[in-house]
Amino acid sequence: MDRLSIILTLMTGAVIGGTFIVTAFTLGHFSVWAVIISVVATLLLSWPISYLISRRIKSQDPNWDRKAEARLVPDTDAPEV
């Protein structure tokens, strides 16, 4: 699990949700369904987009250590304890 993406999910969700709501209201859709569709779209898109943003931030950071990141994830081939 990428901890940076969890933090970015809050900010990304606010931006995406606000954009969808403002767009719906600008187009004249003043209904509960417009809000519900905007909320569902925000819930579906916020984490994947924040994960991509997190990957991009880490790829452009010269001080980010990929080997340290690999040690955080346990080996999937290791036997269970």
Side-chain angles (χ1 to χ4, degrees), residues 17-57:
T19 302
F20 285 152
I21 293 289
V22 168
T23 303
F25 288 169
T26 302
L27 294 174
H29 299 288
F30 299 104
S31 67
V32 174
W33 288 109
V35 175
I36 290 173
I37 290 171
S38 298
V39 168
V40 169
T42 300
L43 291 174
L44 292 175
L45 293 175
S46 62
W47 189 80
I49 290 175
S50 66
Y51 185 76
L52 292 174
I53 293 170
S54 171
R55 294 282 115 196
R56 179 146 184 172
I57 288 171

